[in-house]
Amino acid sequence: MGTGGGLGIKPSIPGVKTGAQFAFHDNYGDNKDVLKGLSGTDVSWGGSFLVGGVYSTSVFNEDGKLKYDPSGVRTIGINAGLGFGAGVAVSKSETFRLSNGIRQLSNWFNNK
């Protein structure tokens, strides 16, 4: 679950929105780790008018072109909030497991 906002700065695609989103992440292909699958490049499509949604899927770059990744994570989100807009976005993410960080920090303190 998350919150966010945005302001359309392209005259051809105006929009403004704020609100909350509830998203479902689903592994597909050979991907067995949702966090690993969420890291990397995604393409998402979304739109809203008070209530809206977003669909995102993993992609990879081959010869300068984005291609559907046969193994990754797809995300379906439902959002509600003030505003309107629509668009397509490409994003790149990194993930971090809090439990691994706590374990590494604990090991560091235990080795002192």
Side-chain angles (χ1 to χ4, degrees), residues 13-24:
I13 309 174
V16 62
K17 69 178 183 176
T18 184
Q21 181 180 70
F22 187 72
F24 301 90

Side-chain angles (χ1 to χ4, degrees), residues 3-65:
T3 62
L7 174 63
I9 57 174
K10 289 185 178 181
S12 61
I13 309 174
V16 62
K17 69 178 183 176
T18 184
Q21 181 180 70
F22 187 72
F24 301 90
H25 304 291
D26 182 32
N27 286 324
Y28 65 87
D30 293 332
N31 190 56
K32 303 292 184 230
D33 186 337
V34 171
L35 284 180
K36 183 178 175 186
L38 285 172
S39 66
T41 305
D42 300 317
V43 172
S44 58
W45 300 264
S48 68
F49 183 75
L50 300 180
V51 176
V54 65
Y55 175 81
S56 174
T57 188
S58 299
V59 295
F60 65 94
N61 190 333
E62 182 178 282
D63 299 327
K65 296 181 180 178

Side-chain angles (χ1 to χ4, degrees), residues 69-94:
D69 196 334
S71 180
V73 172
R74 71 178 59 93
T75 300
I76 299 172
I78 300 167
N79 57 51
L82 300 174
F84 67 93
V88 176
V90 176
S91 62
K92 183 155 181 66
S93 333
E94 296 295 329

